[in-house]
Amino acid sequence: MIWVEILSRHKELISRSRHAVDSGALSIGRGYDNDVIVDDACVAPQHVLLRRDDRGLWTVEDCDTQNGLFDNRGIRHTRLVLLNGDTLFRIGHTWLRVRSADFPVAPERQLLPPQRLWPWLLLLTVLVFSTAAFEIWSNQIGEFRASLYLMPIVSLLLTLVIWISLWAGLSRLLSGVANFVRHSFIALSGIAVASLFGPLFSWAAFAFSARPLVDYNFAAYWLIFGVTCFYHLRAISPRLLRLKAVIIVALCIAAATVQWLANDPFNLHQGNSANNPYLKDLWPPATRVIAPQAQDHFFRNIEKIKTDLDELRKKEPEGEDMFDMIMGGDD
Amino acid sequence: MAVPVLPCFKHSTFYLTMPASPALRCFRAASFGRLFAVSAVFATFSTIAAPPPEAGDPMPLPMATAQPLSSTAEQIFTQARPRLLQIRTLLIAAQKQSSIGSGFLVGADGFALTNYHVVSQYALEPQTYQLDYLAPDGTRGRLQLHAIDIANDLAVVRLEPSDNADGAQPPRDHFTFNPSAVAGALPKGERLFAMGNPFDLGFTIVEGTYNGLVENSYQPRTHFTGALNPGMSGGPAVTADNRIAGVNVAKQFGGDLVSFLVPAAAAHALVEKARHSEAMSQAGVREAIREQLDAWQSGFFAALQEEGFRAASFGPYRAAESSAAWFNCWARTNSGTSTKLRVLINDASCDTRTALFLANNMSSGQANLSHTYMKSIDLNVLQFATLVSGRMQPSLMFGPRRRYTPQQCYENFLAPDDAHPNRPVLRVTWCARAYRDFPGLYDVAVAAVTQDNSKEALISRLSLTGVSYPNAIAFAERFLNTLEVSR
């Protein structure tokens, strides 16, 4: 007994498209007198004949059709020998393969217990929104107003809903399952990591006088964004993971570069960008970790600024002058 | 003529308040107001200005109806009229005026006196601008620049000899200086007459009162109570005997008739110095400005050190304030502004009133010290840190890029040491920029915030414009070293 399997255009097995045939020769075509019927307008009423040759291999023969018979590489044949159960051939738009009853299949996979994501989802939601509320609270130096909290939290909520719906919709479209819970879990994890990293970076920059943490924190955000997207894609389909990873890495690097370049022209015109003030956020003084600078060292660095300025003075200013743009060049 | 004054407000706001911190700007607007230079800019008032009178047209005499009070003014004006000039800066490419001011003849050989700020565009960029005069009789011609005095905002120009007179100029009617004004001995209340061409409306004479020198000003300025208006800059202010008592220069924005003159002594000195001088080149002008500014700031900082500092208390903190009388100080608190106050904020800010005009959108020679004390009432440590962060950002130095280099900053935490054991840990940000045209001179802004307490802090700011780097460092060091905390 052999199985003739009709595959999708993506060469994937479509359910209920497997036909058991129990004869030494059989015909495939669109007509109802065939052993295997293929519903494809580009397939002839009787398209190919399948029979076993002397060596016991199955061969396909084109029945002199207009659209012909093609192998996996797109080469037309009048007669094609099917070496094993993985050899594909195409008639019209339809891919087919033939497997005998003794075709070996992979051993069974271990059944994983159903993952209970709901408790995690709840925990993450609480974490994300309480972090957001905490951040607003720690910045709230005026009187309490509900809108101060509601506005950002509602917009965060909306963003999340839109983001998760997009991925779930894409998932439903491509793999047939929305997987809403899993996508929610991934999105919330991403936001949770990002919202913990923000204050952590800001504090570390303060505590350790670590300027790069402020200057390049956008790279970390793009990394978190990329990893989140990767997990979303993996949830849609675990195939081609390496290709997906490469695409995401490339896109994130491109985005981070664009952001870096967008900031850079400003810095170029501002002279040495490393000489711009960086610490926007101070933290409670008790949380500083490294020792403050000694006075002579501090003033030595200030002397260096003079050297930089004297160098800058020799360079002609370039580009549009913001001042003239705002003030109308009145000089 | 209330409306035409307004366009000049926008223009001059920047000129005088540019290096001040944003907080201070509101501060001064509310409590002190601003000085501004009495020069008019074409673009901002062209819709109001009358077209320049044609040559030969009779000038309408203001105050033609003779009243007992005005008879002196009428005589003075009639006598002074041939000695007056309107000074125009023309954009060469367009042959249209870019700014106008006034001037007056001080020598038979065609030397005239005006304000530096009236000729500044031509002085710094003679390839873009030309300097012309228009006399009340309609004659016009070019002017050459012979001497400048940045500190006193003065310039000596000379009428270029006309072509038909083969170099020799006919002796010109001119003003002389009032000796007692030069000696600074005019009595307060003396009647003065200021002349000039406000808003290009024609030459006018204004009566006013001499009110001595402005008190507590580092740079001597005569306080003149009379209506000076844009366009009258550089015009003469004379005593009843028609002799120079000062040069119109500025007025107080928001004041009524509060105007300022350059004292006669400075004007007289510059005229004497320029009497036998050659016309200045562009490089010569820049070098002169650089030298004068450098000398001025040396003198200013030496005087500042000499006057000394006094400690001012802010909660547990002590910080330095200058003892010099020419620092004008203001204080402000938020206490009592709300019943649900979450933090107490006390501001104290001192600055020198005067600024030296260098170019449009470029003034110099200012010093500003301010202290903001903050104490949490019910803010927690994180909220208090947010508040401090918002208020400690270095003030953005704004200005045309062809005049200044980009600002460069250094920031770090400064430790107390053996020499200054009572100084708390400070977060200090130092920002500076250099003047492109005048090597060796810088604008510097320093912001220091105390880091010894999570619910109480002092932010001290220092801003200096047109200062040499060593002077800035010395001053800043003194400023930072006197910050102390007692607990």
Side-chain angles (χ1 to χ4, degrees):
Chain A
M1 190 184 71
I2 58 158
W3 293 87
V4 176
E5 293 176 330
I6 302 176
L7 307 177
S8 74
R9 283 193 191 191
H10 302 291
K11 301 175 189 172
E12 281 166 343
L13 193 67
I14 308 163
S15 57
R16 286 195 291 271
S17 61
R18 190 179 269 143
H19 305 267
V21 185
D22 206 359
S23 70
L26 57 113
S27 62
I28 299 172
R30 195 153 41 84
Y32 288 94
D33 57 347
N34 290 296
D35 298 296
V36 175
I37 304 170
V38 176
D39 293 322
D40 181 341
C42 296
V43 167
Q46 193 187 48
H47 204 111
V48 287
L49 281 176
L50 203 61
R51 72 180 87 193
R52 207 187 277 267
D53 70 2
D54 311 340
R55 291 171 291 171
L57 290 172
W58 286 92
T59 60
V60 205
E61 278 169 39
D62 185 9
C63 305
D64 201 17
T65 58
Q66 189 185 331
N67 288 339
L69 164 72
F70 293 87
D71 71 2
N72 203 7
R73 290 172 298 172
I75 297 164
R76 188 169 175 158
H77 297 270
T78 49
R79 189 165 171 279
L80 184 64
V81 180
L82 304 180
L83 289 172
N84 57 40
D86 291 323
T87 312
L88 303 182
F89 62 94
R90 178 168 68 79
I91 52 174
H93 287 307
T94 309
W95 287 96
L96 296 118
R97 74 183 170 209
V98 175
R99 284 181 176 177
S100 54
D102 59 352
F103 184 82
V105 292
E108 67 179 322
R109 271 194 213 157
Q110 197 194 349
L111 180 67
L112 294 170
Q115 280 179 301
R116 290 173 58 84
L117 282 176
W118 276 107
W120 286 107
L121 209 59
L122 205 69
L123 195 74
L124 278 173
T125 313
V126 170
L127 179 71
V128 162
F129 284 94
S130 54
T131 314
F134 179 78
E135 194 154 343
I136 299 166
W137 175 73
S138 66
N139 286 325
Q140 184 212 323
I141 52 180
E143 285 171 27
F144 173 82
R145 274 180 295 124
S147 63
L148 214 64
Y149 290 80
L150 285 178
M151 287 289 281
I153 285 178
V154 166
S155 54
L156 174 64
L157 190 68
L158 274 176
T159 314
L160 262 172
V161 165
I162 292 171
W163 177 259
I164 294 167
S165 306
L166 279 176
W167 282 109
L170 205 64
S171 193
R172 177 80 179 79
L173 207 68
L174 297 176
S175 69
V177 198
N179 230 339
F180 197 84
V181 174
R182 177 160 291 275
H183 283 297
S184 305
F185 177 77
I186 294 166
L188 280 165
S189 309
I191 299 245
V193 172
S195 58
L196 291 178
F197 258 74
L200 188 70
F201 270 43
S202 162
W203 169 77
F206 168 83
F208 298 95
S209 292
R211 176 168 196 142
L213 290 182
V214 175
D215 285 352
Y216 302 110
N217 64 2
F218 64 91
Y221 285 114
W222 281 113
L223 181 73
I224 295 170
F225 181 79
V227 169
T228 310
C229 288
F230 175 77
Y231 275 99
H232 278 301
L233 284 176
R234 205 184 73 146
I236 290 176
S237 146
R239 296 182 68 235
L240 301 171
L241 279 186
R242 192 165 296 171
L243 177 72
K244 287 171 182 170
V246 166
I247 290 172
I248 283 178
V249 166
L251 284 178
C252 288
I253 287 177
T257 313
V258 165
Q259 186 168 358
W260 179 65
L261 285 176
N263 293 338
D264 198 52
F266 174 74
N267 289 337
L268 264 179
H269 295 308
Q270 292 293 309
N272 184 354
S273 60
N275 281 347
N276 282 330
Y278 70 95
L279 205 59
K280 299 274 184 290
D281 298 312
L282 295 178
W283 287 73
T287 65
R288 269 273 298 180
V289 175
I290 63 167
Q293 209 172 32
Q295 179 142 344
D296 54 339
H297 190 219
F298 183 84
F299 277 96
R300 263 206 305 281
N301 280 302
I302 283 175
E303 288 283 357
K304 274 188 212 142
I305 294 284
K306 177 181 186 297
T307 321
D308 290 349
L309 284 172
D310 291 343
E311 280 300 312
L312 271 173
R313 215 181 68 77
K314 292 176 196 153
K315 285 191 213 146
E316 280 298 307
E318 43 184 275
E320 282 282 305
D321 193 335
M322 281 295 289
F323 184 88
D324 281 345
M325 280 155 68
I326 294 166
M327 299 298 292
D330 169 28
D331 200 316
Chain B
M1 295 299 285
V3 183
V5 182
L6 284 173
C8 302
F9 169 59
K10 173 202 143 217
H11 161 67
S12 54
T13 316
F14 250 91
Y15 146 41
L16 275 162
T17 57
M18 181 264 303
S21 67
L24 188 80
R25 202 174 292 164
C26 328
F27 207 65
R28 295 214 311 194
S31 48
F32 183 64
R34 300 175 176 90
L35 291 169
F36 72 95
V38 192
S39 81
V41 172
F42 170 78
T44 53
F45 81 120
S46 59
T47 50
I48 302 141
E54 290 302 315
D57 276 3
M59 288 292 292
L61 276 173
M63 306 189 187
T65 50
Q67 288 169 2
L69 198 67
S70 300
S71 57
T72 325
E74 189 183 357
Q75 285 163 20
I76 286 173
F77 188 76
T78 311
Q79 194 183 4
R81 206 169 159 250
R83 307 169 188 169
L84 297 175
L85 299 172
Q86 186 189 39
I87 294 178
R88 302 159 166 253
T89 304
L90 267 62
L91 195 60
I92 292 175
Q95 284 297 311
K96 297 277 191 314
Q97 63 199 25
S98 162
S99 77
I100 53 166
S102 300
F104 56 97
L105 286 154
V106 288
D109 42 5
F111 280 103
L113 196 59
T114 183
N115 288 137
Y116 164 74
H117 78 252
V118 171
V119 302
S120 66
Q121 285 173 306
Y122 168 76
L124 290 170
E125 272 140 52
Q127 56 279 79
T128 312
Y129 298 98
Q130 76 182 45
L131 199 62
D132 281 15
Y133 70 88
L134 174 70
D137 64 3
T139 52
R140 299 158 181 270
R142 292 286 182 84
L143 289 171
Q144 291 172 331
L145 188 58
H146 276 254
I148 54 172
D149 179 351
I150 289 297
N152 289 300
D153 198 354
L154 288 173
V156 171
V157 290
R158 192 178 184 189
L159 279 59
E160 272 187 12
S162 46
D163 296 334
N164 55 2
D166 46 274
Q169 299 201 37
R172 293 182 184 266
D173 191 6
H174 62 88
F175 284 105
T176 54
F177 284 86
N178 184 312
S180 71
V182 172
L186 278 184
K188 214 171 197 177
E190 172 99 25
R191 186 158 294 275
L192 294 187
F193 301 85
M195 285 167 275
N197 193 336
F199 295 105
D200 207 7
L201 298 170
F203 289 94
T204 54
I205 182 161
V206 174
E207 290 190 33
T209 319
Y210 174 83
N211 268 305
L213 292 180
V214 172
E215 286 179 14
N216 302 332
S217 172
Y218 176 74
Q219 196 59 43
R221 278 281 151 92
T222 300
H223 182 176
F224 170 68
T225 308
L228 293 189
N229 277 297
M232 291 176 79
S233 271
V238 298
T239 43
D241 59 358
N242 219 344
R243 290 202 281 181
I244 300 299
V247 181
N248 306 340
V249 64
K251 74 181 218 178
Q252 179 70 49
F253 181 79
D256 279 334
L257 302 184
V258 178
S259 303
F260 304 102
L261 308 175
V262 181
H268 183 251
L270 188 69
V271 169
E272 288 308 312
K273 191 185 133 198
R275 185 102 34 215
H276 303 288
S277 64
E278 294 295 314
M280 298 173 90
S281 65
Q282 183 188 18
V285 170
R286 283 175 195 239
E287 183 51 27
I289 294 176
R290 197 199 65 75
E291 271 175 16
Q292 291 179 15
L293 206 55
D294 197 32
W296 188 90
Q297 63 92 27
S298 299
F300 178 78
F301 284 100
L304 212 55
Q305 297 283 9
E306 201 168 296
E307 295 281 341
F309 293 83
R310 59 169 186 265
S313 290
F314 304 90
Y317 301 104
R318 287 155 70 80
E321 277 180 355
S322 172
S323 305
W326 15 274
F327 269 97
N328 200 258
C329 297
W330 298 91
R332 187 174 59 168
T333 180
N334 72 343
S335 149
T337 52
S338 164
T339 48
K340 286 186 279 183
L341 219 53
R342 303 193 66 195
V343 63
L344 175 76
I345 303 175
N346 289 338
D347 280 327
S349 169
C350 296
D351 61 40
T352 50
R353 293 188 188 201
T354 48
L356 306 186
F357 181 100
L358 297 185
N360 282 350
N361 303 321
M362 186 181 193
S363 59
S364 191
Q366 292 146 301
N368 179 320
L369 283 104
S370 74
H371 303 286
T372 305
Y373 169 67
M374 289 177 284
K375 186 176 168 58
S376 167
I377 296 169
D378 78 344
L379 290 183
N380 63 45
V381 293
L382 287 174
Q383 292 167 337
F384 189 75
T386 303
L387 176 84
V388 175
S389 310
R391 286 177 168 258
M392 71 140 293
Q393 295 311 323
S395 48
L396 180 72
M397 291 184 181
F398 201 50
R401 227 193 273 156
R402 65 184 175 285
R403 298 258 177 259
Y404 303 102
T405 64
Q407 75 173 27
Q408 299 283 282
C409 299
Y410 179 74
E411 55 181 322
N412 214 321
F413 291 80
L414 187 59
D417 50 30
D418 297 342
H420 318 98
N422 291 329
R423 188 173 67 193
V425 173
L426 296 173
R427 165 97 197 151
V428 186
T429 309
W430 168 287
C431 288
R433 62 178 177 185
Y435 290 12
R436 286 191 189 279
D437 301 320
F438 315 117
L441 291 164
Y442 306 82
D443 287 349
V444 169
V446 187
V449 53
T450 59
Q451 291 281 290
D452 64 316
N453 191 304
S454 292
K455 288 196 165 191
E456 196 173 24
L458 182 74
I459 300 175
S460 289
R461 289 171 179 282
L462 167 70
S463 122
L464 306 168
T465 58
V467 61
S468 74
Y469 218 80
N471 271 343
I473 287 190
F475 197 79
E477 218 167 346
R478 177 133 197 193
F479 180 71
L480 294 175
N481 289 344
T482 45
L483 262 171
E484 288 183 347
V485 63
S486 55
R487 287 195 192 278

